[in-house]
Amino acid sequence: MPHLFEYAKSAQLESEVPLDFSILGDVGEFVPEMSVTHIKVTQDRQYFILDINDKMNFFVVGIICTFLQFSCQKSPSHQTLLPNILVVEVDGSLGQQPLNCLVSAEELMRRDDKGQDIFWKKNGVEDTQRGNSYTITLEDSLGGGNYTCHNKDGSLLNYTVVLIQEDQTKMRKILVKTEEEDYLKCSAQNYNGEFGCSWTWHRSRIGKVTFIRARRLEDGDTQCSVDTSGQHWTCSSSHRNFSCSVDRTGNQISCLDEQHCPYAEESQQIHITVYVKTELFLVENYSKHFHLSAIVKPDKVEISKINATMIKWTYPSSWSSPYSYFPLTFQITQLRRGCKRCGNPCTDSKAIKTLTVHSTDICSFEVKRKAKTVCVRAKDALCDSQWSEWSHFRLKRNKDNKKNKHKRQHYRNRE
């Protein structure tokens, strides 16, 4: 009778379905009495041994069929974010992901039961699978969870958090963006190496940050770790260290390039990647590349009054110094109406006139007589970066003049 392996090859030609027969090995070496008359492979990738020699043990047939079935299932790609966090990429097809409770073979062999009494739980619910190995069935975005393995007495041996990552080319499900902005919105107050990134959650999903990676593109291999709180991250390479923290709202992070020199030319971009997950163990990652000069956005300037016709403003206290090396450009707008009911009079009102000035020190400005509100904002004078938010100052001189006029008239009438 022809060998099983030969029939498998012919079945592949008949079905035109690519198969992996390496897992079969030389079956004849183990079951020399076995002979097969026909093998058929269906289009749903299932194998059927139709006619088998009577000498063939039925138990062996089951094992071989199992091997054949496993060999045609797709093995998903995966990556380890942290020692106990595994990200498995899925594309909608059926797949399997193996887990091991005890990784060390020596540790497994030291056990009296050789691992046979180990039992597993998924999200706290006991499963029927036993032993050191566990197989996760992956279908669509299902299969994620917290997998724990236990001794016979229930004590914990190990755990693995499995996160499912769908095809990144499809529509994202956890964060949202507008047409003008990316998923991550990043900015820096100055050139000291600090920056922050924020995002907007999808209204129907509750998520949290599960991993952060920050590096310069020149850094090469970067290792990231998190503290026990799960809120503070450190990413280290041979060149530099980044530290990042998640704020209490969970909507943004703040990071620091600890080796950044504000006076040197910034040759390499920063690469930030944030992994976020849902309660159903679905994970997505979002990345952004930038130079600090492209995202720098000064804080609001401080405006004060000198006299009835003059105001002054100063550089934001958080801006890099000396100001001669990090100069700002200022934009001044004068408004004829105060617009008390406006959320921001600088954006909701029509300006009398808008001016742009350059200064490396405290600035003073003479206000037009008809102006009731003055607005000032700033940006880096040497880079095409973002403007700061508007600062505004309401002038009360007209009201004061009217009060003084009434007082003078009152005194005259008394005389």
Side-chain angles (χ1 to χ4, degrees), residues 300-301 303 333 335 338-339 342-346 373-377 389-395:
K300 298 170 72 172
V301 302
I303 309 175
T333 296
L335 307 177
C339 191
C342 298
N344 187 340
C346 304
T373 302
V374 179
C375 300
V376 182
R377 64 179 181 175
E389 300 298 325
W390 286 103
S391 298
H392 68 275
F393 188 86
R394 299 183 188 274
L395 301 167

Side-chain angles (χ1 to χ4, degrees), residues 237-306:
S237 69
S238 58
H239 295 86
R240 69 186 69 244
N241 295 322
F242 276 89
S243 58
C244 295
S245 298
V246 183
D247 77 341
R248 294 181 178 179
T249 66
N251 299 333
Q252 62 183 15
I253 58 173
S254 57
C255 298
L256 171 65
D257 180 355
E258 299 177 3
Q259 278 67 45
H260 175 69
C261 176
Y263 309 104
E265 182 180 357
E266 190 181 19
S267 59
Q268 293 291 328
Q269 288 184 319
I270 292 173
H271 184 186
I272 183 79
T273 301
V274 180
Y275 286 76
V276 293
K277 74 178 183 71
T278 67
E279 293 178 332
L280 299 178
F281 297 93
L282 179 68
V283 66
E284 293 176 350
N285 65 74
Y286 301 84
S287 298
K288 198 173 184 68
H289 304 74
F290 52 81
H291 290 100
L292 288 177
S293 58
I295 66 167
V296 69
K297 180 181 180 179
D299 281 338
K300 298 170 72 172
V301 302
E302 300 177 6
I303 309 175
S304 59
K305 183 178 179 180
I306 298 177

Side-chain angles (χ1 to χ4, degrees), residues 14 54-55 62 101 177 308 342 409:
E14 176 184 343
D54 292 339
K55 296 181 180 180
C101 180
K177 68 172 181 177
C342 298
Q409 186 65 37

Side-chain angles (χ1 to χ4, degrees), residues 305 307-311 334-336 352 365-374 393-405:
K305 183 178 179 180
N307 53 43
T309 60
M310 297 289 292
I311 64 166
Q334 301 178 73
L335 307 177
R336 186 172 295 178
I352 300 175
F365 181 75
E366 185 175 2
V367 183
K368 289 183 175 294
R369 290 182 56 189
K370 295 182 179 180
K372 292 187 177 181
T373 302
V374 179
F393 188 86
R394 299 183 188 274
L395 301 167
K396 300 180 180 180
R397 62 186 181 188
N398 293 337
K399 187 181 291 186
D400 293 340
N401 289 340
K402 189 177 289 186
K403 287 181 179 180
N404 293 333
K405 183 178 180 180

Side-chain angles (χ1 to χ4, degrees), residues 161-305:
V161 177
V162 177
L163 304 177
I164 302 300
Q165 181 168 316
E166 296 180 332
D167 189 349
Q168 293 277 52
T169 62
K170 297 181 180 179
M171 184 178 66
R172 302 299 185 91
K173 298 181 178 180
I174 303 179
L175 301 186
V176 296
K177 68 172 181 177
T178 62
E179 294 182 359
E180 297 80 15
E181 298 178 328
D182 203 349
Y183 291 104
L184 299 182
K185 298 174 282 291
C186 301
S187 63
Q189 296 176 329
N190 49 49
Y191 286 100
N192 296 342
E194 299 178 56
F195 63 92
C197 296
S198 61
W199 53 83
T200 302
W201 298 104
H202 192 284
R203 64 178 180 273
S204 64
R205 283 179 171 81
I206 301 175
K208 64 178 296 186
V209 175
T210 191
F211 189 78
I212 299 173
R213 179 180 288 114
R215 62 186 182 93
R216 295 277 182 177
L217 294 183
E218 66 180 356
D219 291 346
D221 185 36
T222 301
Q223 301 297 323
C224 299
S225 60
V226 64
D227 68 356
T228 54
S229 71
Q231 303 297 307
H232 305 288
W233 296 78
T234 302
C235 294
S236 303
S237 69
S238 58
H239 295 86
R240 69 186 69 244
N241 295 322
F242 276 89
S243 58
C244 295
S245 298
V246 183
D247 77 341
R248 294 181 178 179
T249 66
N251 299 333
Q252 62 183 15
I253 58 173
S254 57
C255 298
L256 171 65
D257 180 355
E258 299 177 3
Q259 278 67 45
H260 175 69
C261 176
Y263 309 104
E265 182 180 357
E266 190 181 19
S267 59
Q268 293 291 328
Q269 288 184 319
I270 292 173
H271 184 186
I272 183 79
T273 301
V274 180
Y275 286 76
V276 293
K277 74 178 183 71
T278 67
E279 293 178 332
L280 299 178
F281 297 93
L282 179 68
V283 66
E284 293 176 350
N285 65 74
Y286 301 84
S287 298
K288 198 173 184 68
H289 304 74
F290 52 81
H291 290 100
L292 288 177
S293 58
I295 66 167
V296 69
K297 180 181 180 179
D299 281 338
K300 298 170 72 172
V301 302
E302 300 177 6
I303 309 175
S304 59
K305 183 178 179 180

